[in-house]
Amino acid sequence: MGYDQINQSLDMISHNSARALNIQETYGLEVGKPGSLLLLPAENGFDAVRRQVPVGYSIRKGNVIARTKPAETSINLGAEEAITFKR
């Protein structure tokens, strides 16, 4: 899959599924909506899929119900260096 196809697949599981389930009135970020969402530690949708990032925060109706601390990876080839797996 290319960059555009990956972003379209993310729309398929978010915007399009809300439309299919007929929950558009409660879907999206607006004042008065229930505030249920997932926060991913990624720069964009492509980055989230490419690195298979874990969910950073899971929020349901405005309350944090789960949180994952980011993993730290380093390599030591003479001197320790942090690895982020970002380009």
Side-chain angles (χ1 to χ4, degrees):
M1 291 177 73
Y3 183 83
D4 289 334
Q5 289 84 12
I6 287 176
N7 285 328
Q8 289 170 357
S9 70
L10 294 173
D11 283 342
M12 180 181 67
I13 62 172
S14 57
H15 300 286
N16 295 342
S17 61
R19 196 172 2 177
L21 294 170
N22 198 27
I23 57 171
Q24 294 118 319
E25 67 278 351
T26 60
Y27 183 81
L29 294 175
E30 293 178 20
V31 174
K33 297 208 175 169
S36 298
L37 60 128
L38 300 174
L39 293 177
L40 304 175
E43 294 178 9
N44 53 47
F46 181 81
D47 184 44
V49 172
R50 182 182 71 82
R51 294 191 296 126
Q52 298 180 5
V53 297
V55 173
Y57 289 89
S58 179
I59 301 171
R60 184 182 300 150
K61 296 183 180 177
N63 297 309
V64 175
I65 60 170
R67 180 173 82 86
T68 303
K69 292 183 180 181
E72 293 181 15
T73 303
S74 62
I75 188 168
N76 194 342
L77 299 173
E80 189 169 325
E81 179 183 347
I83 303 296
T84 63
F85 299 101
K86 294 182 182 179
R87 293 182 181 188

